[in-house]
């Protein structure tokens, strides 16, 4: 019997949507481990999100410390490892976000834990299903260590719902916050009012065929009309058309929205690895032979110059008829 | 400056995945250096060289833990320009992140590199664990997902641009440290060492081995050791139980017009 410690990211006073996916995974894991879910909130200001977090688990451990203002793996990993021991966890979970991917293997190192990364399902206490080879295969891995670390793929675990009764909130031990000399110099964020690419219902992505950043405006118009997030292929981000954090794929973000619209993207396996779990896929490409059409539920052969403005107009018409 | 680059051989990612008896069928597979590790070798070379005058200011040592045949991937790295190579013999099946980490710790103990530069993940298992786990065990600072690296003039720290969900984070870490590289590390200006003129633009991508490089690689030192030589007794705790192909997606359909597309999305898929 052991508990499941769920490292949850928050934004101001609430858990992030991605953290609620972590909770969803943690609940399944706790059932198999015979213990309870303990949510761990770490960082300066974490206390503010505690009440929200308490809706999702029987226990919330808050480590709110000025020394932990900026996330670094160096300072956070020992905090998480210590909490794992204090809470008698046999599994430490997070979502496979950029923080989770950076942090959890380091925690595993500190705890001598085996690890399963970016899992799509939990089959047993220590057995997980996960994509390998850029999504070209799925494997079942078994982790034999007494304590394990797991990152969960957000798109495979629907955000958890509140339990109906609030859990207990306790303070955890912060430790010394030693960053081992690491220092966050600056963070460049691409601010946007659009939904987060990781949890958007609809994603509109553009590829190299958009030719330049200016041309992405028409895709952005489409995205805003649909309340969608923007994505892109690596070719488009590498060419500097759009920011790097828009990249979808094996080495970008893995998304699984209800609707994914790929425009002027050929459909390389590394791109497909990031979006083929989407419920409905639309492809617009001028090349009828483009591999993206093999995964598209609806494929439209044509140029974006023609199709996208027409699509915007048609959707506006549809929306007008609905109101 | 001494840089250690751990590298793994992987089946060529361009080849079609085949499955036999619940495992990946590797008969007749061609093997290559893991893409991200090849990028790490490139970045390591950029860090120790002066691309302006071709001079070298440090050493790049490559290490792999793998079977006899993995020596070939070490030779590829030597042909690119690495100075020395070390292979620790092991069967791929004996390995997991923990064993690789335990082995690399022993190597680091004797080599004492200033920087351990490696891929963010091996593209066969897509685990993305070894760098961080190693850093945790060694209590060294880490910078994962590096899109660029700048070596300080005093060579005592690096500033790494990390690709994170919200954008780009610049993290400065003192050496020795562990850096894992992402794709953009091989873009023309991603690596700065203040020896190569800052105006220098590399060609995109890892360098090709020249004929001369390939000839020289044959004479460069390539040492073989065993796990027992290093005193590694740890056994793998993670095990691949089975492998299967992903469920096929129903074949795509074409629509003839934007009107038809919008109608289908609304009436059939009910997503708009
Ligand atoms: C290790 C590794 C990791 C990678 N990771 C990723 C990843 O995470 N994500 C990713 O996306 N890629 C990744 N890649 C790159 C991937 O292999 C492809 O190179 C990339 O996805 C291609 O992007 P693209 O489809 O935009 O460009 P292209 O392949 O050049 O396709 C452009 C498409 O636009 C179409 N087109 C051109 N003009 C028009 C027009 N006017 N109207 C309509 N259509 C038009 C063309 O027919 C073509 O199909 C990775 C590669 C490697 C080696
Ligand atoms: N068998 C190995 N030998 C040497 N280095 C390895 C080995 N396995 C993994 N690595 C290194 O660890 C990195 C991350 O691998 P992984 O955690 O398996 O995705 C790789 O990019 C390599 O640099």
């Amino acid at each position: 019997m052991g508990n499941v410690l769920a490292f949850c990211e928050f934004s101001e006073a609430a858990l992030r949507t991605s953290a609620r996916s972590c909770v969803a995974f943690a609940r399944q894991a706790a059932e198999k481990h015979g213990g309870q879910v303990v949510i761990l909130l770490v960082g300066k200001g974490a206390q503010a999100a505690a009440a929200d977090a308490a809706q999702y688990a029987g226990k919330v451990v808050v480590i709110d410390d000025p020394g932990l203002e900026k996330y670094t793996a160096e300072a956070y990993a020992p905090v998480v490892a210590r909490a794992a021991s204090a809470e008698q966890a046999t599994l430490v979970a997070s979502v496979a976000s950029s923080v989770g991917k950076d942090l959890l293997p380091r925690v595993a190192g500190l705890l001598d834990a085996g690890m399963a990364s970016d899992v799509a399902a939990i089959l047993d206490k220590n057995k997980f299903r996960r994509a390998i080879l850029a999504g070209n295969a799925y494997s079942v891995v078994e982790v034999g260590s007494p304590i394990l670390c797991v990152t969960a793929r957000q798109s495979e675990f629907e955000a958890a719902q509140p339990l109906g009764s609030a859990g207990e909130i306790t303070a955890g031990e912060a430790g010394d916050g030693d960053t081992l000399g690491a220092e966050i110099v600056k963070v460049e964020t691409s601010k946007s009012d659009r939904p987060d690419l990781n949890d958007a219902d609809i994603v509109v992505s553009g590829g190299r065929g958009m030719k330049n950043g200016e041309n992405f405006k028409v895709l952005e118009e489409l995205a805003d009309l649909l309340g969608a997030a923007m994505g892109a292929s690596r070719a488009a981000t590498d060419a500097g058309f759009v920011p790097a954090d828009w990249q979808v794929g094996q080495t970008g973000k893995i998304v699984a929205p209800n609707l994914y619209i790929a425009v002027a993207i050929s459909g390389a396996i590394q791109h497909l690895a990031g979006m083929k779990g989407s419920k409905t896929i639309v492809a617009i490409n001028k090349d009828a032979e483009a591999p993206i059409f093999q995964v598209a539920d609806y494929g439209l052969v044509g140029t974006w110059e023609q199709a996208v403005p027409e699509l915007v107009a048609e959707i506006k018409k549809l929306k007008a008829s609905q109101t | 400056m001494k840089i250690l680059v751990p590298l793994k051989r992987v089946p060529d990612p361009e080849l079609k995945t085949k499955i036999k008896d619940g495992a990946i069928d590797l008969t007749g597979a061609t093997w290559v250096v893991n893409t991200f590790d090849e990028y790490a070798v490139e970045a390591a070379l950029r860090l120790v060289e002066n691309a302006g005058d071709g001079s070298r200011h440090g050493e790049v040592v490559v290490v792999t833990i793998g079977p006899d045949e993995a020596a070939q991937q070490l030779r590829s790295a030597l042909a690119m320009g690495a100075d020395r190579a070390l292979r620790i013999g092991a069967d791929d099946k004996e390995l997991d992140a923990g064993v690789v980490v335990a082995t690399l710790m022993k190597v680091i103990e004797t080599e004492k590199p200033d920087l351990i530069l490696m891929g963010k993940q091996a593209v066969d298992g897509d685990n993305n664990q070894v760098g961080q786990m190693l850093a945790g065990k060694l209590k060294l600072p880490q910078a994962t997902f590096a899109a660029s690296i700048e070596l300080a003039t005093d060579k005592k720290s690096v500033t790494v641009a990390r690709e994170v969900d919200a954008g780009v984070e610049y993290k400065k870490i003192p050496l020795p440290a562990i850096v894992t590289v992402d794709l953009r590390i091989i873009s023309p200006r991603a690596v700065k060492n203040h020896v190569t003129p800052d105006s220098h633009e590399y060609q995109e991508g890892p360098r090709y081995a020249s004929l001369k490089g390939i000839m020289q690689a044959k004479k460069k030192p390539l040492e073989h050791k065993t796990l027992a030589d290093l005193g590694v007794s740890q056994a793998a705790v993670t095990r691949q139980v089975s492998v299967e192909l992903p469920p096929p997606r129903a074949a795509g359909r074409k629509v003839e017009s934007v009107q038809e597309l919008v109608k289908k999305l609304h009436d059939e898929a009910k997503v708009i």
Side-chain angles (χ1 to χ4, degrees):
Chain A
M1 263 220 351
N3 294 325
V4 173
L5 186 70
F7 174 84
C8 286
E9 293 170 72
F10 53 91
S11 171
E12 311 208 336
L15 290 186
R16 288 186 182 276
T17 316
S18 63
R20 286 170 48 211
S21 289
C22 173
V23 172
F25 166 79
R27 285 181 187 168
Q28 292 180 27
E31 225 166 85
K32 307 230 190 284
H33 280 247
Q36 65 162 342
V37 176
V38 179
I39 290 182
L40 177 63
L41 303 176
V42 184
K44 187 172 166 243
Q47 188 58 42
D52 182 56
Q55 294 181 268
Y56 296 94
K59 185 169 183 189
V60 178
V61 175
V62 182
I63 300 175
D64 188 341
D65 190 271
L68 298 167
E69 177 167 4
K70 285 186 181 147
Y71 164 78
T72 61
E74 292 81 355
Y76 274 44
V79 170
V80 177
R82 213 176 303 115
S85 313
E87 298 306 320
Q88 281 139 28
T90 46
L91 191 153
V92 182
S94 93
V95 78
S97 61
S98 57
V99 168
K101 290 192 283 192
D102 186 51
L103 177 66
L104 270 252
R106 189 170 177 114
V107 172
L110 299 182
L111 291 172
D112 273 325
M115 174 153 183
S117 301
D118 208 9
V119 307
I122 174 163
L123 307 178
D124 202 346
K125 211 175 145 160
N126 61 350
K127 257 194 203 160
F128 308 90
R129 192 175 131 84
R130 55 183 300 274
I132 57 170
L133 295 160
N136 282 315
Y138 273 84
S139 75
V140 173
V141 288
E142 192 176 56
V143 185
S145 50
I147 176 164
L148 28 155
C149 286
V150 180
T151 53
R153 181 174 283 194
Q154 183 186 344
S155 59
E156 301 281 351
F157 296 92
E158 205 167 314
Q161 294 301 320
L163 290 174
S165 64
E168 134 200 37
I169 299 173
T170 63
E173 201 192 320
D176 59 11
D178 187 0
T179 66
L180 305 176
E183 196 186 317
I184 307 304
V185 182
K186 62 175 174 182
V187 181
E188 285 167 0
T189 48
S190 36
K191 270 267 165 269
S192 137
D193 296 331
R194 297 199 185 93
D196 186 353
L197 182 53
N198 283 314
D199 23 82
D201 265 343
I202 303 181
V203 174
V204 175
S205 273
R208 190 189 333 248
M210 295 306 295
K211 299 185 186 77
N212 59 49
E214 188 59 29
N215 287 341
F216 265 76
K217 292 244 162 73
V218 8
L219 293 185
E220 294 183 43
E221 189 186 352
L222 175 63
D224 292 339
L225 187 61
L226 294 169
M230 284 298 302
S233 71
R234 176 184 167 196
T237 56
D238 270 4
F241 300 171
V242 293
D245 55 2
W246 287 17
Q247 183 177 315
V248 170
Q250 182 192 14
T251 47
K253 288 181 179 139
I254 312 244
V255 300
N258 278 326
L259 175 61
Y260 188 89
I261 305 180
V263 182
I265 290 177
S266 62
I269 53 166
Q270 296 93 349
H271 188 80
L272 300 184
M275 45 65 78
K276 52 179 187 195
S278 306
K279 291 194 186 69
T280 301
I281 297 174
V282 170
I284 299 174
N285 195 302
K286 68 174 184 189
D287 173 11
E289 301 302 316
I292 189 80
F293 286 123
Q294 288 163 21
V295 300
D297 300 283
Y298 305 108
L300 182 69
V301 179
T303 66
W304 63 263
E305 288 92 335
Q306 202 180 358
V308 178
E310 228 183 294
L311 186 56
V312 168
E314 277 301 312
I315 293 171
K316 277 188 182 154
K317 254 200 258 168
L318 177 75
K319 299 230 168 204
S321 74
Q322 283 172 326
T323 49
Chain B
M1 166 141 192
K2 185 188 209 175
I3 304 180
L4 182 73
V5 182
L7 61 87
K8 188 185 185 197
R9 66 163 201 163
V10 296
D12 188 342
E14 297 299 321
L15 298 179
K16 199 169 159 53
T17 306
K18 283 179 291 179
I19 299 218
K20 199 173 142 193
D21 305 326
I24 303 288
D25 182 7
L26 292 168
T27 40
T30 48
W31 296 83
V32 296
V33 177
N34 173 37
T35 320
F36 292 108
D37 297 341
E38 192 183 10
Y39 294 0
V41 172
E42 172 65 30
L45 293 171
R46 290 186 191 181
L47 279 170
V48 299
E49 73 190 1
N50 180 338
D53 64 13
S55 59
R56 281 288 279 272
H57 305 265
E59 192 186 18
V60 176
V61 181
V62 289
V63 56
T64 196
I65 305 150
D68 290 348
E69 301 80 35
Q72 225 176 313
Q73 280 69 46
L74 290 175
R75 290 275 178 221
S76 312
L78 292 173
M80 281 173 75
D83 299 284
R84 280 191 296 121
L86 175 61
R87 183 183 69 86
I88 320 294
D91 192 35
D92 290 324
K93 287 203 183 63
E94 298 172 71
L95 300 176
D96 69 353
V99 178
V100 171
V101 166
T103 312
L104 291 176
M105 283 171 74
K106 295 286 186 188
V107 173
I108 290 163
E109 209 176 283
T110 40
E111 291 288 343
K112 299 188 175 53
D114 301 293
L115 176 66
I116 299 125
L117 193 60
M118 58 207 287
K120 71 163 182 177
Q121 76 193 46
V123 297
D124 50 357
D126 285 336
N127 280 319
N128 181 2
Q129 295 173 1
V130 170
Q132 301 88 311
M133 220 180 250
L134 183 63
K137 282 232 176 283
L138 291 171
K139 304 258 184 307
L140 287 179
Q142 73 184 48
T144 51
F145 319 135
S148 74
I149 305 179
E150 181 176 349
L151 177 64
T153 21
D154 65 5
K155 300 198 180 345
K156 292 208 168 105
S157 67
V158 288
T159 300
V160 174
R162 304 181 55 234
E163 292 186 355
V164 296
D165 288 344
V168 182
E169 174 191 279
Y170 290 81
K171 187 174 184 182
K172 185 176 172 196
I173 49 177
L175 299 181
I178 293 178
V179 174
T180 76
V181 303
D182 213 323
L183 288 171
R184 270 168 272 272
I185 201 68
I186 42 89
S187 52
R189 288 163 175 271
V191 179
K192 285 209 165 56
N193 64 359
H194 297 295
V195 175
T196 293
D198 278 357
S199 59
H200 183 82
E201 281 218 13
Y202 277 95
Q203 248 188 21
E204 172 92 32
R207 64 196 63 188
Y208 288 109
S210 63
L211 200 56
K212 188 166 151 235
I214 295 169
M215 296 308 291
Q216 280 172 345
K218 292 188 178 144
K219 295 192 209 101
K220 288 180 180 172
L222 195 168
E223 209 182 333
H224 299 270
K225 288 194 170 159
T226 63
L227 291 172
D229 289 342
L230 297 183
V232 177
S233 55
Q234 191 163 339
V237 295
T238 61
R239 186 175 72 89
Q240 190 159 292
V241 180
S242 62
V243 181
E244 60 184 28
L245 293 177
R249 246 193 113 87
R253 274 182 300 157
K254 296 260 168 65
V255 292
E256 294 306 321
S257 67
V258 168
Q259 286 75 12
E260 187 190 343
L261 174 62
V262 172
K263 196 167 155 37
K264 289 245 161 77
L265 288 176
H266 184 64
D267 300 343
E268 199 174 82
K270 302 196 187 336
V271 284
I272 61 171

